[in-house]
Amino acid sequence: MSACIRCGSAAGEEYRFAHVETNTLFENPKGGGKQKKTVTEKLLGVAHVSVCSSCAWRAKIRAILLTIPITLVMTLVLSFFSLFKARPNRDIRKEVASAPIVLPMVAGILWVIGLSIYVPRPLAFYAAEIARKDKGWAKNTFLVPLDARYYTRRKDGEISLAKLMDKTPIQTELSQKLVPAILDENREAELEPLIGQEFILVKDR
């Protein structure tokens, strides 16, 4: 263990992260058609950062509590726009009268959805955000935990790229290039030739 980057506690757990820069560009074709989205990701390096479990847990609890105001705002916005939705034989007065029952139900459903995202999320991903902020790294960068247990398929023990791309913001072929370092810390040096290289994904919106 080493000193936590946030509180200085000697109980810090060392994490390995791939530090990735991302940029997104939206383009409208001149002749019409679907808008194109271009995502460019670049590996900036590998970071070894220590974060204690207490700081990671506090970050997780803050994220969970933040789902409450977000849920309330989303409920109000959805309810507001639903009033303008045209439907045959609609009874606005009845809908408004049912609001005290419907709104808490909608809020409850949205809150459960939010909790289903943040509660199961491992502490390493909260540690990643702590590291990015405390290091002062740009907001258009993110950290990918290089730990196989977060991306391993239960059925065969292999790394799942789908899990890697679902649990992290990574979108390009860079995800495949990170696999050796995720599987084996001793293969981390294999990432060095990739530093500064751009990986691009273009897709229609």
Side-chain angles (χ1 to χ4, degrees), residues 179-190:
V179 171
I182 291 174
L183 288 171
D184 185 355
E185 184 175 356
N186 295 322
R187 298 182 65 183
E188 193 177 289
E190 294 182 27

Side-chain angles (χ1 to χ4, degrees), residues 109-129:
I109 293 170
L110 291 175
W111 192 48
V112 168
I113 292 172
L115 291 179
S116 70
I117 296 171
Y118 290 103
V119 171
R121 199 177 187 212
L123 291 182
F125 295 92
Y126 296 98
E129 191 56 23

Side-chain angles (χ1 to χ4, degrees), residues 64-69 71 75 106-116:
I64 291 171
L65 291 177
L66 190 60
T67 61
I68 297 175
T71 295
T75 301
V106 172
I109 293 170
L110 291 175
W111 192 48
V112 168
I113 292 172
L115 291 179
S116 70

Side-chain angles (χ1 to χ4, degrees), residues 112-186:
V112 168
I113 292 172
L115 291 179
S116 70
I117 296 171
Y118 290 103
V119 171
R121 199 177 187 212
L123 291 182
F125 295 92
Y126 296 98
E129 191 56 23
I130 288 174
R132 188 193 66 77
K133 289 179 179 178
D134 288 21
K135 286 284 190 180
W137 287 329
K139 291 184 178 180
N140 71 324
T141 67
F142 58 87
L143 298 177
V144 178
L146 297 175
D147 193 323
R149 60 185 154 168
Y150 306 129
Y151 320 115
T152 302
R153 289 192 295 254
R154 291 182 181 178
K155 61 180 181 179
D156 55 14
E158 296 292 327
I159 292 292
S160 167
L161 289 178
K163 276 191 174 184
L164 175 57
M165 299 178 82
D166 180 58
K167 291 178 180 290
T168 70
I170 199 163
Q171 298 182 58
T172 69
E173 187 186 357
L174 175 59
S175 58
Q176 300 174 31
K177 305 294 185 181
L178 296 179
V179 171
I182 291 174
L183 288 171
D184 185 355
E185 184 175 356
N186 295 322

Side-chain angles (χ1 to χ4, degrees), residues 4-15:
C4 172
I5 189 176
R6 174 150 292 184
C7 70
S9 165
E13 179 181 346
E14 186 174 285
Y15 294 93

